[in-house]
Amino acid sequence: MLIHLKQLLTPDELAQARALLQAADAPWIDGRRSAGAQAVQAKNNEQLAQDSPSATTLRALVLAAVQRDPLFFSAALPRKIFNPLFNRYGGGMNFYGAHVDNAVLHSRAPDQWVRTDVSCTVFLADPDEYEGGELVVHDTYGQQAVKLPAGDAVLYPGASVHEVRPVTRGARLASFFWVESMVRSDEQRRLLFELDMALLALRKTQGESAEATRLTGVYHNLLRMWAST
Ligand code: NI
C-alpha cells in the first residue's frame, strides 16, 4: 500500500529545510557509509552527516510534521520512528539501484533499534527542479514510480524492493526514515486504515450515528487485538 501525504510540511518548514540543505557548508557525506552489505552495491548518493547541527534541526522539523499529521498516524500506527535522514541525488552521485532495506536498523536520536515496517520519503525538491529521480517501489501490484511536490511524502511497505532512478539534471533533495508500527502486519494495518478512512467519510456525509459509533468500536477492538505497544 502506497499512501500519499499531501503538504506534510508547511511552506515555512519547507523553506527552512531547503535553506539548511542548500547551504554552502551543509555537511554532505558519501551515502555508502550508511548502507548494508547488499544495498552498498547499489547506492550512489550523498547523505547529510547525522551528527551535524543542521541534521538535528531538520530531524526535529520532520518529526514534528509527521507527528501532527492524522493520515500518517492512521496509515503507519507508529510505535517507534527512526530519526529522519536526508539525502541528495545529483551530479555524479545520482541513483540508488534496486535494493531492500535492513529489517531492523539502529536509530541514533533517540538511541533505539527500529523494525522497518513502513518506509517514508519526504520530497524536498519540486519535480521540475530535477530530471529523473523517481522513487520506484516494487509492490505486489507491480512497479509504482513516485515523484511528488516538495513538502509531500509517501509511505510504502518497508519490506519492498525499491530504487531511486538516476537524476540526470538538477538535484533531488529528500528526507527518509522508517516506522516500526504498533501493528506489524501490512494486511492488518491496511484493514484498519480502510476502516478508519471509511468512518471519516461516513461521519462527513451522515454526521454522528449509532452505527458510526459501533463501527468505531470495531476499529478500536481490532486495534486492541492486533497492536503491541
Ligand atoms: Ni532503501
Side-chain angles (χ1 to χ4, degrees):
M1 179 170 64
L2 267 67
I3 306 226
H4 179 179
L5 306 175
K6 288 180 186 155
Q7 296 173 336
L8 180 73
L9 301 186
T10 65
D12 279 357
E13 288 169 336
L14 180 61
Q16 194 192 349
R18 287 170 57 91
L20 286 167
L21 294 172
Q22 291 173 330
D25 59 351
W28 292 104
I29 58 172
D30 191 329
R32 278 171 284 211
R33 281 168 58 176
S34 66
Q38 185 272 322
V40 77
Q41 308 293 330
K43 194 172 187 182
N44 184 23
N45 68 359
E46 290 174 293
Q47 245 168 255
L48 198 69
Q50 283 200 63
D51 50 8
S52 61
S54 51
T56 307
T57 306
L58 286 159
R59 274 201 293 273
L61 185 149
V62 171
L63 278 177
V66 295
Q67 280 164 345
R68 68 170 182 246
D69 189 297
L71 200 58
F72 172 81
F73 184 86
S74 178
L77 296 167
R79 176 162 72 169
K80 294 183 196 169
I81 303 178
F82 191 97
N83 55 231
L85 300 171
F86 297 84
N87 58 19
R88 177 167 75 176
Y89 293 81
M93 303 182 80
N94 62 350
F95 69 94
Y96 197 164
H99 68 281
V100 286
D101 298 334
N102 285 1
V104 180
L105 289 169
H106 186 258
S107 173
R108 289 199 202 176
D111 184 345
Q112 59 182 355
W113 289 95
V114 176
R115 193 182 59 228
T116 56
D117 298 326
V118 180
S119 297
C120 182
T121 295
V122 185
F123 289 79
L124 298 172
D126 262 318
D128 60 5
E129 290 179 71
Y130 58 98
E131 208 71 58
E134 296 87 358
L135 168 69
V136 179
V137 179
H138 304 232
D139 201 0
T140 40
Y141 301 113
Q143 292 188 12
Q144 302 198 56
V146 185
K147 188 168 174 176
L148 300 177
D152 285 16
V154 62
L155 298 177
Y156 61 97
S160 60
V161 172
H162 55 279
E163 63 188 290
V164 175
R165 285 195 186 133
V167 171
T168 53
R169 173 185 65 82
R172 176 196 193 268
L173 297 169
S175 174
F176 64 102
F177 57 92
W178 299 269
V179 180
E180 177 173 322
S181 180
M182 291 188 280
V183 175
R184 180 175 180 165
S185 150
D186 275 342
E187 205 174 13
Q188 291 171 343
R189 214 181 311 115
R190 182 189 299 225
L191 284 174
L192 288 167
F193 182 67
E194 272 301 310
L195 184 53
D196 195 23
M197 291 302 106
L199 272 165
L200 207 66
L202 185 67
R203 286 203 158 91
K204 213 171 196 172
T205 55
Q206 316 286 324
E208 264 322 319
S209 63
E211 290 74 19
T213 305
R214 286 170 63 190
L215 285 172
T216 303
V218 172
Y219 174 86
H220 284 288
N221 288 325
L222 286 172
L223 185 56
R224 201 185 324 277
M225 187 155 58
W226 291 335
S228 358
T229 56

